[in-house]
């Protein structure tokens, strides 16, 4: 039996010394210690670990300082431990006191396996873990970074030192794609362009000039980036792990609808994607939930919710009955019987009299809506107000989700119903008669709130936290009480 040790060193001398001291205390000779440089969630670049695994024999033992020396992705760690066990060897962590030997060790591994199986397995989630590890490693080693000595401003094109580590910092921030070729002698593109992007998030008129304040800003950005990634990882853990079909995903702060494959980071051709309008941040925030789309309604009527009837329609129509006719509104009883538009009936709006809007071009729901189960009476729908989709900020609705391309969505969800040809869909949308179509198979729908994205090339993208959910979520993770977000008007477009 031979006891081997494995360590992953970093540029932090203190960290590396702690590992070697712990291994030495375990009485393991230097010739049995295998060391790789750097810490990786994916366990990439591990030639010495591979050499150790090749050498293992029945009855041997592998010792590490901490579990994260094997990688920071629990699933990968467990796979590696299984490889060690398959060789007839045992595994032990000095710091955590975990060993695969004995019933307690097996129980601990069973618990770890259960937790690992709860983690998402999507490409985007894995990219988030890699981004988190890169940021953590760089923050741990930040004191050893050799950045440009910006005692005086360094203009673009000027020679300077420290450009390799500056690029490394920008890669960890997601401003440069990994492997980007840079000029290591002069401060130039693409490094300078990445620095300018970081600076312009706080000062739209900032230049790419590099000075002491810029270096401090980059270090602050690294701390914020770790927070952004932690929030994104947490939110991914809230999502369902399995779906009966390809979900549609509305990322609320990004004002975007996509199929799950594209949103989750897979690369499948022919993806469905479009801009959307969501609920107003100051009054009617669109809620986060998972549901199933069950029905398409062509030429829909709008059954106004109580809040809008009382707050908007009643004041506008009182003393002006023509307002209702102009906007194709009509009055009904609780049973749906139409009532004449009179001052007396207008006065009873919200107390026994309800307001509906007829199908047609003026209807706030447009020519089609998509119903799904949820307690908020939220749905996806067309809109006659197409100009809003060109805006950068699109939190303009009462809570429901307006679609830039409702025809494409109708074709997508009715693709398994051959009788619903493109021509028939167009006729139903323009027919002026409310038509309900039940889907053969319900379609999963996720309304999510993700403010941070890691693209397939490793570049990070952050979108505005329009509802202020980030701080509330961070506070909740810290165990603090939070203030709820704005309430949605149920059934409002």
């Amino acid at each position: 039996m031979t006891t081997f040790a494995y360590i992953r060193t970093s540029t932090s001398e203190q960290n590396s010394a702690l590992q070697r001291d712990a291994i030495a205390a375990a009485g393991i000779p230097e010739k049995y210690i295998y060391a790789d440089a750097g810490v990786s969630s994916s366990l990439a670049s591990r030639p010495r670990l591979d050499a150790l695994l090749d050498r293992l024999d029945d009855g041997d033992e592998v010792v590490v300082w901490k579990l994260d020396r094997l990688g920071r992705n629990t699933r990968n760690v467990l796979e590696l431990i299984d490889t060690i066990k398959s060789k007839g060897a045992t595994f032990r962590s000095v710091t955590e006191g975990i060993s695969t030997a004995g019933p307690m060790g097996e129980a601990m591994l069973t618990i770890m396996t259960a937790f690992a199986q709860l983690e998402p397995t999507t490409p985007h989630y894995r990219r988030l873990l890699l981004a988190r590890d890169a940021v953590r490693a760089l923050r741990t080693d930040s004191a050893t970074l050799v950045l440009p000595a910006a005692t005086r401003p360094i203009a673009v094109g000027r020679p300077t030192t420290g450009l390799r580590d500056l690029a490394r910092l920008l890669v960890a921030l997601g401003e440069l794609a990994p492997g980007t070729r840079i000029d290591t002698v002069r401060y130039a593109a693409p490094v300078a362009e990445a620095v300018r992007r970081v600076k312009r998030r706080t000062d739209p008129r900032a230049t790419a000039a590099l000075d002491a304040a810029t270096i401090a800003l980059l270090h602050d950005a690294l701390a914020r980036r770790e927070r952004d990634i932690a929030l994104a990882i947490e939110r991914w853990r809230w999502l369902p792990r399995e779906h009966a079909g390809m979900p549609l995903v509305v990322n609320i702060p990004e004002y975007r609808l996509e199929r799950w494959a594209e949103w989750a980071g897979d690369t499948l051709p022919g993806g469905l994607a479009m801009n959307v309008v969501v609920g107003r941040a100051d009054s009617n925030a669109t809620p986060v939930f998972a549901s199933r789309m069950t029905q398409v309604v062509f030429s829909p009527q709008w059954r106004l919710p109580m809040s809008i009837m009382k707050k908007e329609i009643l004041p506008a129509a009182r003393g002006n009955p023509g307002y209702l006719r102009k906007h194709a509104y009509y009055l009904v009883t609780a049973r749906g019987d139409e009532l004449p538009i009179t001052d007396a009936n207008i006065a009873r709006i919200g107390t026994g009299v309800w307001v509906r809007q007829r199908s047609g071009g003026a209807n706030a729901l447009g020519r089609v809506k998509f119903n799904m189960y949820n307690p908020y009476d939220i749905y996806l729908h067309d809109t006659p107000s197409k100009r809003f989709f060109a805006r950068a900020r699109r939190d303009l609705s009462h809570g429901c989700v307006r679609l830039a391309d409702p025809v494409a969505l109708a074709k997508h969800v009715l693709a398994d119903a051959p009788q619903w040809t493109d021509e028939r869909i167009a006729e139903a949308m323009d027919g002026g008669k409310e038509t309900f179509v039940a889907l053969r198979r319900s379609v999963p729908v996720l309304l999510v709130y993700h403010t941070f994205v890691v693209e397939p090339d490793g570049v990070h993208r952050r979108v505005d936290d329009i509802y202020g959910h980030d701080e509330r979520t961070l506070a909740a993770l810290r165990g603090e009480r939070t203030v709820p977000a704005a309430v949605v008007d149920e059934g409002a477009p």
Side-chain angles (χ1 to χ4, degrees):
M1 170 189 169
T2 304
T3 298
F4 298 92
Y6 178 70
I7 61 177
R8 291 187 75 102
T9 61
S10 68
T11 53
S12 168
E13 294 182 4
Q14 180 183 12
N15 184 296
S16 297
L18 284 171
Q19 292 188 69
R20 291 194 175 276
D21 288 348
I23 296 303
I28 301 173
E30 186 69 27
K31 65 180 181 179
Y32 294 135
I33 299 176
Y34 288 73
D36 281 321
V39 180
S40 169
S41 173
S42 64
L43 290 175
S45 303
R46 55 175 199 177
R48 297 297 293 160
L49 177 59
D50 292 336
L52 186 158
L53 293 175
D54 289 340
R55 189 174 176 181
L56 281 181
D57 205 350
D58 190 44
D60 290 342
E61 182 184 42
V62 177
V63 176
V64 298
W65 177 52
K66 292 176 66 176
L67 280 174
D68 68 6
R69 295 301 96 185
L70 294 178
R72 290 183 175 135
N73 184 316
T74 304
R75 189 180 300 275
N76 288 342
V77 171
L78 289 169
E79 289 174 357
L80 182 56
I81 291 175
D82 282 343
T83 300
I84 293 170
K85 291 172 64 179
S86 71
K87 302 271 188 176
T90 57
F91 165 82
R92 175 163 55 96
S93 165
V94 173
T95 305
E96 286 97 349
I98 296 173
S99 171
T100 57
M104 287 300 292
E106 292 297 329
M108 179 63 72
L109 289 176
T110 299
I111 294 171
M112 289 174 61
T113 301
F115 276 109
Q117 290 173 344
L118 294 175
E119 286 203 280
T121 59
T122 65
H124 188 259
Y125 184 79
R126 292 196 293 270
R127 291 199 299 270
L128 285 169
L129 296 180
L130 290 170
R132 177 198 63 187
D133 293 347
V135 170
R136 284 181 175 176
L138 199 58
R139 291 197 69 196
T140 299
D141 299 339
S142 60
T144 67
L145 285 175
V146 180
L147 297 176
T151 52
R152 293 182 179 181
I154 302 170
V156 176
R158 300 294 297 175
T160 186
T161 59
L163 290 170
R164 290 185 187 276
D165 275 359
L166 178 58
R168 182 179 165 214
L169 176 58
L170 291 166
V171 168
L173 286 172
E175 300 295 341
L176 281 181
T180 300
R181 297 184 65 179
I182 67 164
D183 188 331
T184 58
V185 176
R186 295 181 181 276
Y187 177 54
V191 171
E193 293 171 353
V195 169
R196 181 189 289 113
R197 283 196 298 272
V198 175
K199 293 175 70 175
R200 287 194 172 178
R201 293 199 177 96
T202 55
D203 179 3
R205 295 178 296 179
T207 69
L210 198 59
D211 55 18
T214 303
I215 298 298
L217 178 66
L218 291 172
H219 281 293
D220 289 344
L222 195 63
R224 291 195 301 272
R225 186 50 42 89
E226 186 172 7
R227 184 206 74 161
D228 292 340
I229 297 171
L231 277 172
I233 289 172
E234 175 66 19
R235 285 166 172 157
W236 267 96
R237 290 170 176 167
W238 298 348
L239 298 178
R241 297 296 183 268
E242 296 181 354
H243 308 280
M246 184 78 73
L248 299 170
V249 183
V250 175
N251 189 18
I252 295 167
E254 197 172 13
Y255 315 112
R256 192 78 175 156
L257 178 147
E258 294 180 293
R259 280 196 322 166
W260 172 265
E262 287 75 27
W263 184 80
D266 293 320
T267 54
L268 297 180
L272 176 77
M274 68 186 71
N275 289 340
V276 300
V277 169
V278 300
R280 292 171 57 102
D282 60 358
S283 57
N284 300 114
T286 298
V288 173
F289 62 89
S291 184
R292 303 188 69 80
M293 184 187 298
T294 58
Q295 186 183 64
V296 180
V297 184
F298 292 113
S299 296
Q301 294 196 24
W302 180 26
R303 292 150 178 81
L304 279 71
M306 183 67 71
S307 58
I308 293 180
M309 284 193 293
K310 287 187 172 182
K311 294 177 185 177
E312 300 179 24
I313 305 302
L314 178 58
R318 185 177 281 137
N320 182 20
Y323 171 83
L324 297 177
R325 296 186 182 92
K326 177 181 178 181
H327 296 281
Y329 292 125
Y330 66 101
L331 306 179
V332 298
T333 66
R335 294 173 54 186
D337 299 325
E338 188 168 351
L339 296 169
I341 296 178
T342 64
D343 289 340
N345 285 335
I346 289 173
R348 294 175 56 217
I349 288 176
T351 55
V353 173
W354 298 78
V355 181
R356 302 285 182 264
Q357 190 177 39
R358 301 186 192 280
S359 306
N363 191 286
L365 306 184
R367 300 176 299 159
V368 61
K369 78 167 181 173
F370 304 85
N371 287 333
M372 53 190 176
Y373 294 119
N374 66 92
Y376 315 102
D377 199 14
I378 294 294
Y379 38 81
L380 314 181
H381 67 89
D382 183 20
T383 174
S385 304
K386 303 295 186 183
R387 66 187 185 279
F388 294 137
F389 293 108
R391 293 188 180 183
R393 178 153 184 166
R394 297 191 293 276
D395 56 315
L396 304 165
S397 80
H398 286 87
C400 286
V401 179
R402 304 176 189 171
L403 304 167
D405 193 355
V407 176
L409 184 57
K411 292 178 181 179
H412 177 76
V413 300
L414 291 170
D416 63 347
Q419 70 273 27
W420 281 100
T421 61
D422 293 356
E423 292 76 15
R424 187 178 179 190
I425 288 174
E427 289 173 2
M429 291 179 70
D430 296 328
K433 179 182 178 182
E434 192 170 44
T435 303
F436 298 86
V437 181
L439 299 181
R440 288 184 174 183
R441 296 184 183 86
S442 61
V443 178
V445 180
L446 303 176
L447 272 68
V448 302
Y449 194 92
H450 287 237
T451 53
F452 183 79
V453 175
V454 179
E455 301 288 4
D457 62 1
V459 172
H460 300 179
R461 181 164 51 83
R462 198 186 190 289
V463 297
D464 290 340
D465 176 20
I466 59 173
Y467 293 162
H469 285 346
D470 284 0
E471 284 303 322
R472 279 188 286 269
T473 304
L474 284 169
L477 291 173
R478 293 192 297 264
E480 302 171 8
R481 295 184 64 182
T482 61
V483 179
V487 177
V488 66
D489 277 336
E490 296 184 2

